Amino acid sequence: MSRANPLDKLLASLKELGIHTVQDRNAGCEAGFPVAVPLADGRTVVLDLPSPGVLANLDPEGVGVAILDPLGYVRRTWGIAKRIRHFQTSKSVLDTKIGSFIESSYQTGQGSLYLDGYRYFTAALAAGDAQDIFVLVVNAKEEKHARREAGRSERMANALKRLGHALTMNQQVGPMCNAAAHEIASAAELAAVLIWANHSEEEDLRLAACIGINRQGQAVLTNLSHETGATCAAELVAASRNPFHQANVQDHVLTANLEAKCCYLRPSGLAVHPLVISDKLLGVIEFVGREGDSHFEDNAELFETIAEHLALAMNSALLFENFERWATHDALTGIANHRSIQEFLHQRVLEARRGKQEIGVVMMDVDHFRSFNEEEGHDAGDEVLKLVAEAVKSCLRPYDLAGRYGGEEFTLIMPGCSLANTLATSERIRRKVEALPLATRAGRQRHVTLSLGCAVYPHTASEPANLIKAADMALFDAKRGGRNRVTSFHGEFLGQGPAPQPQLDTVHDWIAPDDRDAAHAFLDKYEDEVTRLASSLCLSPSQIEILRALILVAPTYLRVVETGDDATIQSMEGAEEFRLLLPSLHCLHERFDGKGRSTLDGQKLPLLGRVLAVLLALADDEGREIVDDPRKFDPEIVGMMLELRHAA
């Protein structure tokens, strides 16, 4: 009897211990965990062990094994493989998420795959004439964390890159916020993004841009008040200036009826951040995640970084807009300044020429503003200008322009406006300003009125400068006609008409009736000298009229001052007709050498005042005072007068 094969003896002994080979499965033995054992003679024995060999010594919570038959059905599982759903069903693993990976392993014999926090390793095992697949499963928590961090970093870098491009391409708040909202929503795959901006700390925050919110939501969230109680998450953030996070918008009272119902896509989490620079609230940004977005909570740091970058960009945009506004708008009233008026009018005239349309131009002036300013103070005067500007703006169309031409004078430019419409709008403004409630610091009620002059392109003038001049001449007619009225320029203004002259006809009313004949005789005496002096000094028609009025009223003014009649002096200085005369009348108490009341000297003294002082001195004892005290008078004016007299 031949000796038994040692291998057969070994296998027989193992069977007695319950260990079979893979071939024994055909005999009805339960499938185990195959282990290939190479022999010295080159053969290989595949044992079917009841446990996964040396792997059984490892932590079953961190490692697992699954044995698959040639059709992909599970033969045995161990460790964490028992709780992985791919290996728990009665169907083939080839029909699960890892099916394609397993199928390729049948062909190549081995492979590796990461999915949902697990790393899968495969190896082919011969099982008789067929081939099984050995699947080693490793709990890849660290790899999952590393992948999440890498994905988060990639998302952050991509989002910040796209955001940076959007922010640098726009210098104004509105376009910048709109571009930023679209880039953020796209890069972070969000359901919605909303951005509110604050142009003034005195105003509510306004919705500057949004994406993913329906019209109903936009209407509700248009304005945020950071002073009253919070009615939404964004108002809470604006008031507290602290971020707000919510895992599910359905679970919070401030978001359940807004974000949960106003997003086009089904929302999940919410993150709201204040946009703050140097303790100044510039706005609020809100991020709304999509339902099922597993990365939303991981993006918390990204949202915070985006808020910081957006706040810096918004601050720069606000500064740019403010500088741009200061260059084109009046700082006090907030309406257009002189430069903007000219540019706007030139542009509209060019458009009107092409379209053959009309343009209404209105010049307006606050009546008796100088006296009001002096009586009530400059603060009250500034308040009047603000009230007038607001009243004017409220009467205009969106595409009309209201501007402060200078001082208390305003300009309106109304494209496509006929003379009738221009007059109607002007009258509406006049009535509105007349009805303005104005209380002084003392509690007294005062009234403000306007005088308005109108001109219309192309009927009045075809050039912008002439339009302004024609409207200004109409304004002067309104002033001369009694103020608080609207007038229009009649006919065509060609630019050659005389400039409006100051109306000083009422000056003679201040002269005592007994002195009027003498005053007019005194003026007639120096009329020729005034005419020749005006030519030598190149005086304008307005300056000539003012000088004549000064010669007429100066003796009366000096007598009132010498007698100390303070009531009359105060009345004179408050009268509108004395507004142009007072600087020169005050000059009569000054000296050219600077030793007068105010120490003003030389060319700092008003020209007409220096001329008046010489004329009065020449009328008194043939100029004896000029001889006795020559430093009191302007030597150039004195020499010019003597030369004119000698020539005559």
Side-chain angles (χ1 to χ4, degrees), residues 246-307:
Q246 180 63 33
N248 193 320
V249 294
Q250 303 282 358
D251 299 336
H252 197 282
V253 65
L254 292 179
T255 59
N257 291 321
L258 283 175
E259 288 82 358
K261 297 180 179 180
C262 297
C263 294
Y264 289 116
L265 300 177
R266 293 181 64 87
S268 59
L270 178 82
V272 189
H273 288 264
L275 306 176
V276 179
I277 293 292
S278 299
D279 201 36
K280 179 182 178 182
L281 181 67
L282 302 180
V284 172
I285 183 170
E286 181 173 309
F287 310 89
V288 184
R290 296 184 184 181
E291 185 180 56
D293 183 4
S294 60
H295 300 299
F296 185 79
E297 293 186 6
D298 296 336
N299 289 335
E301 184 179 352
L302 171 62
F303 297 150
E304 182 179 359
T305 304
I306 288 175

Side-chain angles (χ1 to χ4, degrees), residues 57-350:
N57 295 324
L58 300 178
D59 182 8
E61 295 299 319
V63 179
V65 173
I67 306 299
L68 307 180
D69 67 13
L71 298 178
Y73 288 93
V74 177
R75 292 186 185 274
R76 289 290 296 270
T77 57
W78 175 84
I80 59 174
K82 289 181 175 293
R83 63 172 185 262
I84 295 178
R85 63 178 180 274
H86 308 313
F87 305 128
Q88 294 174 343
T89 62
S90 58
K91 64 180 181 180
S92 171
V93 178
L94 297 177
D95 297 328
T96 65
K97 290 172 64 174
I98 63 173
S100 59
F101 166 65
I102 297 298
E103 187 173 358
S104 66
S105 298
Y106 281 113
Q107 299 172 1
T108 62
Q110 59 184 5
S112 175
L113 172 70
Y114 171 84
L115 181 66
D116 297 336
Y118 296 99
R119 171 64 68 176
Y120 299 87
F121 298 93
T122 58
L125 291 174
D129 297 332
Q131 178 176 271
D132 287 348
I133 292 295
F134 177 91
V135 183
L136 174 64
V137 185
V138 179
N139 192 337
K141 289 183 179 180
E142 293 184 0
E143 183 177 356
K144 180 179 181 180
H145 177 73
R147 283 176 171 270
R148 173 173 290 185
E149 287 298 310
R152 185 179 63 83
S153 299
E154 183 179 359
R155 290 192 301 275
M156 179 178 290
N158 180 50
L160 293 180
K161 179 181 178 181
R162 295 172 64 173
L163 175 64
H165 179 74
L167 297 181
T168 55
M169 291 298 291
N170 297 278
Q171 290 182 300
Q172 295 181 322
V173 174
M176 183 194 71
C177 290
N178 190 54
H182 282 77
E183 291 296 344
I184 293 168
S186 175
E189 298 182 352
L190 300 174
V193 175
L194 300 94
I195 302 175
W196 292 268
N198 188 7
H199 290 270
S200 170
E201 292 186 354
E202 299 177 357
E203 299 178 357
D204 292 341
L205 282 81
R206 299 192 302 274
L207 186 64
C210 69
I211 185 171
I213 297 292
N214 58 33
R215 291 184 178 180
Q216 180 182 0
Q218 293 179 33
V220 174
L221 297 170
T222 296
N223 292 310
L224 298 182
S225 174
H226 50 91
E227 299 294 340
T228 59
T231 60
C232 64
E235 283 187 344
L236 178 64
V237 170
S240 66
R241 302 193 180 186
N242 293 318
F244 175 86
H245 296 273
Q246 180 63 33
N248 193 320
V249 294
Q250 303 282 358
D251 299 336
H252 197 282
V253 65
L254 292 179
T255 59
N257 291 321
L258 283 175
E259 288 82 358
K261 297 180 179 180
C262 297
C263 294
Y264 289 116
L265 300 177
R266 293 181 64 87
S268 59
L270 178 82
V272 189
H273 288 264
L275 306 176
V276 179
I277 293 292
S278 299
D279 201 36
K280 179 182 178 182
L281 181 67
L282 302 180
V284 172
I285 183 170
E286 181 173 309
F287 310 89
V288 184
R290 296 184 184 181
E291 185 180 56
D293 183 4
S294 60
H295 300 299
F296 185 79
E297 293 186 6
D298 296 336
N299 289 335
E301 184 179 352
L302 171 62
F303 297 150
E304 182 179 359
T305 304
I306 288 175
E308 293 174 353
H309 283 260
L310 184 58
L312 289 171
M314 187 176 290
N315 187 55
S316 299
L318 287 172
L319 290 175
F320 175 81
E321 287 186 353
N322 286 336
F323 280 122
E324 193 175 53
R325 181 174 181 81
W326 293 337
T328 58
H329 288 71
D330 176 58
L332 176 64
T333 60
I335 59 178
N337 59 16
H338 187 277
R339 169 189 171 189
S340 296
I341 293 170
Q342 299 292 345
E343 292 178 352
F344 185 83
L345 180 58
H346 277 76
Q347 188 63 35
R348 299 293 84 78
V349 167
L350 292 176

